Amino acid sequence: MPYDENGIFAAIIRKEIPAKIVHETDNVLAFEDINPKAPNHILIVPKLQIETVNDLQDDHAQIIGEMVLAARDIAAEIGVAEKGYRLVINTNADAGQEIFHLHMHFFAGRKMTWPPG
Ligand code: 5GP
C-alpha cells in the first residue's frame, strides 16, 4: 500500500490538524490517542513516511531506536517508569492496524492483562 500523504498522522506531523503533543524530537512526534484505551495512551510516530513494520528498511534502525527512547523519556516525564507501561506496534489486519503510518502505542496508568486480546 503506498503511503497516504493525506492521512491523519501525516497531517498531525505537519501540524495541519491539532493533536495533544506530549513529546517531540527532530525525528519523532508523540501525541495523545484520540480514543484512549488506558489512562495514559500515547502514540509515538516517526516523522518519516513509513506505513508498517514491514516497510522498514535497514537504515531505519536509528528511527526505531529513537521511538523507543522517546517512550523511555515519556515514561519518566509522566511518572510511570517504575510502575510500568506497555509498548505495542500493530501491523496489518490481524493485529488491527487502522492507520497506515507507523506508530507505537504507549499504554500506562492501569494494570495490563496478558495475553493481549
Ligand atoms: P492502530 O489500530 O492503527 O494501531 O491505531 C490507530 C490509533 O490511532 C487508534 O488508537 C486511534 O484511536 C488513533 N487515532 C485515530 N485517529 C486519530 C486522530 O485523528 N488523532 C489522534 N490523536 N489519534 C487518532
Side-chain angles (χ1 to χ4, degrees):
M1 182 186 303
Y3 184 84
D4 178 12
E5 293 193 22
N6 296 317
I8 198 90
F9 287 6
I12 288 173
I13 289 164
R14 290 194 298 264
K15 312 269 172 78
E16 290 171 0
I17 65 164
K20 290 184 181 167
I21 294 172
V22 298
H23 188 86
E24 182 169 13
T25 67
D26 286 349
N27 299 320
V28 171
L29 188 69
F31 51 90
E32 293 181 8
D33 196 292
I34 205 167
N35 183 17
K37 301 293 192 296
N40 305 107
H41 184 176
I42 294 161
L43 301 169
I44 301 172
V45 309
K47 293 182 181 177
L48 264 182
Q49 299 181 342
I50 302 168
E51 295 92 334
T52 77
V53 168
N54 292 335
D55 300 295
L56 286 168
Q57 307 296 314
D58 289 353
D59 65 1
H60 291 141
Q62 173 77 22
I63 279 289
I64 294 299
E66 289 186 33
M67 289 168 68
V68 178
L69 291 173
R72 174 202 63 187
D73 291 344
I74 291 164
E77 285 161 15
I78 67 175
V80 300
E82 297 310 317
K83 285 198 83 171
Y85 53 97
R86 180 172 290 173
L87 306 176
V88 172
I89 302 178
N90 294 322
T91 302
N92 282 341
D94 271 7
Q97 184 175 3
E98 292 177 345
I99 304 274
F100 287 85
H101 179 113
L102 181 67
H103 53 281
M104 185 164 66
H105 295 259
F106 177 114
F107 298 105
R110 65 168 168 81
K111 183 86 175 149
M112 308 284 157
T113 58
W114 191 263

